[in-house]
Each structure stands twice: as C-alpha cells, then as structure tokens.
Amino acid sequence: MELSKELLEQARATKSPEELLSLAKENRVELNEEEAAAYFAEMHKSGELSDEELDGVSGGGCHKKDGRLVVTIWYGCDEFVCSYCGRNHTETHAHSIPQSNGTVQRSYFPPNCHYCKYISYEGGLWLCNNPSKIK
C-alpha cells in the first residue's frame, strides 16, 4: 500500500500522536503507539537541524557516516525482506497473525521499509541495516 499525498497531508495536520494513530487505523496503515509518537514528533519538528541532517542536505547524501542508508519509513527497494516471514517480496503480501485474544488478524505487508526486517529507528532517523545496502 502506498500512502497518497492526501493521506500524508492529513497526517501532517494531526494535533497529537493519538490522532495520528487513529488516522492510521482508519486507513489500514499498521502503526503502534511508539511509532505514532516518533512520526508525529518528526512531522512537527521545529528548530535547528542536527549536524547529521545538515550533512545530508548540503551534500545530498543519504548514508550515515557508518555507511547505513537513511530512508523514509515508506521507502521501497528491491532488497526488502519481510519482518514477519523473512522472505523477499516484490508486491504486497498478507499473513494471518494470531492475536493475544485468540483471534487471527489478516495483516498486509507492502514491500517497503516499514515492514522490512532490516529497518531500525535511531536518533530520529530510519536506517537500513541490510548488509547489501551498507556502503
């Protein structure tokens, strides 16, 4: 699933992480409370850029000094590996995931960083830890 420009605009207009989480659920975008808080903070960030952010802007770079690719969470690549099944997929695929209340939920995993097993969130940046993507 790709996020439409309209949905991104709605996300930027939210007034709280809780409102962002609610918007995500309404639009079948899987997001937990911690991720909603991080996205909200990132979208509503003000003030000065960090040295790392300035380096990326001024040099047009997209890799940290340690060689990891800095991505947006919805970035997609041909090296996506599903965090649930561990396989490489080129299209959105689904898994039936048991819930703690005994039910089974059908979840959809588009091939983008949000669902990739190699993604991590560190210091306000989403980083690709896929060994094949590290410079």
Side-chain angles (χ1 to χ4, degrees), residues 24-74:
K25 286 182 181 179
E26 288 171 15
N27 289 278
R28 295 183 54 191
V29 174
E30 289 189 35
L31 197 65
N32 65 37
E33 289 178 18
E34 183 179 300
E35 291 168 330
Y39 290 137
F40 183 82
E42 191 68 25
M43 286 187 295
H44 294 85
K45 192 157 89 171
S46 62
E48 295 184 16
L49 297 175
S50 69
D51 288 342
E52 191 170 86
E53 291 169 321
L54 284 172
D55 287 344
V57 171
S58 64
C62 57
H63 285 84
K64 286 180 50 92
K65 290 177 184 166
D66 67 5
R68 291 184 293 168
L69 180 66
V70 178
V71 296
T72 64
I73 198 65
W74 300 109

Side-chain angles (χ1 to χ4, degrees), residues 47-120:
E48 295 184 16
L49 297 175
S50 69
D51 288 342
E52 191 170 86
E53 291 169 321
L54 284 172
D55 287 344
V57 171
S58 64
C62 57
H63 285 84
K64 286 180 50 92
K65 290 177 184 166
D66 67 5
R68 291 184 293 168
L69 180 66
V70 178
V71 296
T72 64
I73 198 65
W74 300 109
Y75 175 77
C77 74
D78 57 358
E79 308 245 2
F80 164 82
V81 178
C82 177
S83 61
Y84 189 75
C85 69
R87 294 193 332 239
N88 182 289
H89 295 275
T90 57
E91 296 181 6
T92 298
H93 62 289
H95 294 288
S96 296
I97 301 175
Q99 303 297 300
S100 58
N101 64 4
T103 63
V104 175
Q105 177 181 342
R106 188 89 168 143
S107 294
Y108 295 88
F109 293 77
N112 58 44
C113 288
H114 184 79
Y115 301 101
C116 184
K117 80 174 194 174
Y118 291 112
I119 195 72
S120 66

